[in-house]
Amino acid sequence: QSVLTQPPSASGTPGQRVTISCSGSSSNIGSNTVNWYQQLPGTAPKLLIYSNNQRPSGVPDRFSGSKSGTSASLAISGLQSEDEADYYCAAWDDSLNGSWVFGGGTKLTVL
Amino acid sequence: QVQLVQSGAEVKKPGASVKVSCKASGYTFTGYYMHWVRQAPGQGLEWMGWINPNSGGTNYAQKFQGRVTMTRDTSISTAYMELSRLRSDDTAVYYCAREPALGVANYGMDVWGQGTTVTVSS
């Protein structure tokens, strides 16, 4: 059972816009910023969005992030076949001694 | 180029320990925290803890307290993660990942190792 809640799956056709949600609580998303990671099959995760809505160098602007209250979202516009991957949200959780917590992951299928 | 190269796959028996290494290159090793994250087969990501290579300070996830030890050797820019008293449910791919050590700002884990598969089986 992951601390952050994501839908297990999402899908879209090429060119479409899809969004993936991530729900948390006051101790994590509610008080800290959110990162998003993309994991292509058989590879290590890759940082996609940091600090709610910042893109690392090299990440296309088709990817965007937002946060409101205790929830966050990742949006992918102009969907491409190579976007088919697992997506994870993450946030620092202030409870106990503090820890990074992840969502359970969302498998994105490009139809 | 910036990269993290991890040690090879391990097979261990229940109750044993495993030590995974993560060699950094292409950047100043002491300027970035090193996190350890694991992924069980078919499952999501699980954070285990981090080490500050500059000070040696650590922060472990409560779940792993008492079983995990993170160390570093700055002379060879290498971080280590040792997990003891292994159980079958410790079977996973273990990743190291760096994060800029820039105070409280969140810059994410921006470079990841290739992963090390640890199999625990009798």
Side-chain angles (χ1 to χ4, degrees):
Chain A
Q1 199 84 353
S2 300
V3 175
L4 305 181
T5 301
Q6 298 180 235
S9 64
S11 63
T13 56
Q16 263 192 331
R17 182 178 187 271
V18 298
T19 61
I20 297 172
S21 62
C22 175
S23 178
S25 67
S26 59
S27 64
N28 42 66
I29 294 178
S31 50
N32 297 293
T33 56
V34 177
N35 302 331
W36 290 90
Y37 297 89
Q38 177 193 59
Q39 187 175 33
L40 298 171
T43 69
K46 168 191 170 184
L47 181 64
L48 205 59
I49 297 287
Y50 67 94
S51 210
N52 297 335
N53 53 20
Q54 302 299 302
R55 283 186 307 277
S57 174
V59 173
D61 59 7
R62 302 187 296 105
F63 295 91
S64 62
S66 63
K67 184 187 108 168
S68 177
T70 58
S71 294
S73 291
L74 172 70
I76 309 172
S77 60
L79 197 62
Q80 299 179 4
S81 57
E82 56 260 40
D83 298 333
E84 187 159 293
D86 293 325
Y87 292 85
Y88 294 90
C89 58
W92 181 256
D93 193 299
D94 293 327
S95 60
L96 302 172
N97 289 328
S99 63
W100 278 99
V101 291
F102 287 91
T106 298
K107 181 169 181 56
L108 175 64
T109 301
V110 181
L111 303 169
Chain B
Q1 73 281 24
V2 175
Q3 61 178 351
L4 300 174
V5 178
Q6 299 183 223
S7 49
E10 303 264 12
V11 179
K12 297 291 183 181
K13 293 194 182 304
S17 297
V18 68
K19 190 171 186 177
V20 179
S21 68
C22 172
K23 182 169 177 59
S25 61
Y27 71 96
T28 301
F29 180 62
T30 52
Y32 293 76
Y33 295 127
M34 192 69 78
H35 295 264
W36 290 88
V37 177
R38 77 177 186 179
Q39 186 171 36
Q43 302 301 309
L45 303 172
E46 181 175 34
W47 181 77
M48 301 179 69
W50 57 250
I51 182 169
N52 180 339
N54 189 40
S55 66
T58 55
N59 182 9
Y60 303 143
Q62 188 176 38
K63 174 178 179 177
F64 300 101
Q65 292 269 3
R67 276 213 306 147
V68 71
T69 304
M70 296 178 188
T71 57
R72 91 295 189 213
D73 184 338
T74 56
S75 68
I76 56 172
S77 299
T78 300
Y80 303 91
M81 186 284 299
E82 184 171 21
L83 189 62
S84 63
R85 303 194 299 279
L86 289 169
R87 307 184 293 256
S88 58
D89 60 358
D90 290 319
T91 294
V93 177
Y94 289 76
Y95 294 103
C96 59
R98 73 168 198 177
E99 177 192 14
L102 295 172
V104 298
N106 169 21
Y107 290 93
M109 300 173 201
D110 66 345
V111 178
W112 292 63
Q114 82 277 18
T116 296
T117 299
V118 175
T119 302
V120 182
S121 174
S122 55

